[in-house]
Amino acid sequence: MSDVTGDLAAVSEAKGGSDAARISEVKAWLTSQFEAVGKEVPNFEYTHRSITHLYNLATASQAKSQAATIVANDFRLKASEYRAQAARIREILESAGMSQESLPSNVVSSAQVLANVANLLNIRDTELSSFLVAMGDISLRKTGVEEKRAKAQKESNALLDYTRKAIQRLTYLKKILAQLEDDVVPCESQMENWKTNLEVMAVKEEQYIQQYKKYEMLLNRVGYTPKISHRELVEMAEHRKELDKMTKPVLDTLRSYQDLPPDKALAALAIEDKKRQFTAAEKYLEEVLQSALETNDE
């Protein structure tokens, strides 16, 4: 106990005068509590935190003890009043010849049952109005309990319905899962087939790309451009037909030279004349082609 006092004094000096009052209250409370059970206060470290906690416990304990004392005193006062009232009623009944010893056993039993019912209904007298009020209160409580029970039953039925639906849904999902598991092997084989086909298609795509590039280079080499349309090709074909018509007489004349006379000088002059005509026709053909290409570029 001296160690406890020393620790308390040290904490008191450290925290100041405000903590000194708390420390003294805690000391008195601990001493009273442990002396009540015949024990000494154990030794432990006193800190500001422990003192605060013990002070709060002491304050709460004292408040509850004071409240309990007030309630106990009230109950004792009521008990003495009830005993005095019971003695007065007993004297009145004995003076009227209605003491418990003089009453029949069935009357005593009925009175005891009536008293038990009154205690059960928590009423202080046996007036009919008090019993009616108590019965009405019990009826209201019963109605409230029945309403709560009906509500709980309704909620239980709703939960049961949800549970049934959840079980059905779970069964359906398990069935779907089993079907999916059965379809795994066929789907895997189909996926492998698709994978093989994709690889083949990738190879074919690469080949087609190479061929496309090759043809594109060929078209560029021959002077093809994307601007040349089908209509322009048709127009160029028509121009070619016209040129063929223009060059046909020249070709016929050249073929007739096969029957030239043996005069070499006349034959040479005729050949030079036809060459000039042929050169003029080729020049005209080139001009027509050039004009068609320029029109296409525009």
Side-chain angles (χ1 to χ4, degrees):
M1 191 66 186
S2 59
D3 295 338
V4 174
T5 305
D7 292 340
L8 290 174
V11 173
S12 174
E13 293 176 357
K15 297 299 179 180
S18 60
D19 289 344
R22 288 189 176 187
I23 293 171
S24 61
E25 291 181 11
V26 168
K27 176 182 176 183
W29 178 72
L30 287 175
T31 303
S32 63
Q33 295 298 318
F34 279 93
E35 286 181 354
V37 294
K39 295 182 179 180
E40 294 183 357
V41 180
N43 296 326
F44 59 91
E45 183 180 0
Y46 286 86
T47 61
H48 177 70
R49 182 178 179 181
S50 62
I51 291 298
T52 303
H53 184 65
L54 289 173
Y55 178 77
N56 293 333
L57 288 177
T59 303
S61 176
Q62 291 172 0
K64 290 183 179 295
S65 298
Q66 186 177 3
T69 302
I70 293 172
V71 172
N73 293 333
D74 183 64
F75 284 161
R76 293 190 188 95
L77 179 61
K78 290 180 179 179
S80 62
E81 292 176 355
Y82 291 152
R83 283 194 294 270
Q85 185 176 3
R88 186 170 61 255
I89 293 173
R90 189 180 299 109
E91 291 177 359
I92 294 172
L93 292 175
E94 289 177 355
S95 63
M98 298 177 62
S99 61
Q100 183 176 356
E101 292 78 7
S102 62
L103 294 175
S105 59
N106 57 350
V107 175
V108 175
S109 299
S110 298
Q112 187 65 37
V113 170
L114 186 63
N116 292 334
V117 172
N119 291 329
L120 181 63
L121 296 177
N122 195 22
I123 56 179
R124 298 183 179 181
D125 53 50
T126 56
E127 295 291 336
L128 180 60
S129 60
S130 299
F131 279 97
L132 292 176
V133 171
M135 292 299 294
D137 183 60
I138 290 178
S139 299
L140 292 175
R141 291 182 182 179
K142 180 182 177 183
T143 303
V145 171
E146 289 177 351
E147 290 178 355
K148 291 181 180 179
R149 181 179 180 184
K151 183 179 179 181
Q153 186 67 29
K154 184 177 180 180
E155 293 177 353
S156 177
N157 293 334
L159 292 174
L160 183 61
D161 186 40
Y162 291 153
T163 303
R164 290 196 188 98
K165 291 180 180 179
I167 292 173
Q168 293 177 358
R169 188 66 177 176
L170 178 61
T171 304
Y172 174 74
L173 292 175
K174 286 183 178 179
K175 184 178 178 180
I176 296 297
L177 179 60
Q179 292 178 355
L180 293 175
E181 289 177 351
D182 295 337
D183 294 339
V184 167
V185 177
C187 290
E188 287 180 350
S189 61
Q190 188 175 7
M191 288 179 63
E192 290 294 332
N193 188 17
W194 289 349
K195 184 178 180 181
T196 304
N197 294 336
L198 286 174
E199 292 176 354
V200 174
M201 292 178 65
V203 174
K204 291 292 183 181
E205 181 185 7
E206 186 66 24
Q207 293 178 357
Y208 293 152
I209 291 173
Q210 295 297 330
Q211 292 180 1
Y212 173 78
K213 291 181 178 179
K214 180 179 178 181
Y215 293 146
E216 187 177 12
M217 292 174 62
L218 180 60
L219 291 173
N220 292 330
R221 188 165 59 249
V222 298
Y224 172 80
T225 59
K227 295 181 180 179
I228 299 177
S229 62
H230 177 70
R231 182 176 59 82
E232 294 173 350
L233 292 175
V234 172
E235 292 177 355
M236 293 177 69
E238 292 177 353
H239 284 297
R240 180 182 177 183
K241 289 180 180 180
E242 293 178 357
L243 294 174
D244 290 338
K245 290 179 181 180
M246 293 175 63
T247 57
K248 185 176 180 182
V250 178
L251 293 174
D252 293 339
T253 304
L254 290 174
R255 290 190 187 98
S256 65
Y257 288 165
Q258 295 177 359
D259 300 329
L260 288 174
D263 191 351
K264 189 175 182 180
L266 293 175
L269 291 175
I271 290 172
E272 289 296 332
D273 184 54
K274 296 302 179 182
K275 284 183 178 181
R276 285 195 298 270
Q277 293 179 5
F278 186 74
T279 302
E282 286 183 347
K283 184 177 180 180
Y284 178 74
L285 177 60
E286 290 178 359
E287 290 177 356
V288 171
L289 291 175
Q290 185 66 28
S291 62
L293 291 175
E294 291 176 356
T295 304
N296 184 25
D297 293 336
E298 292 176 358

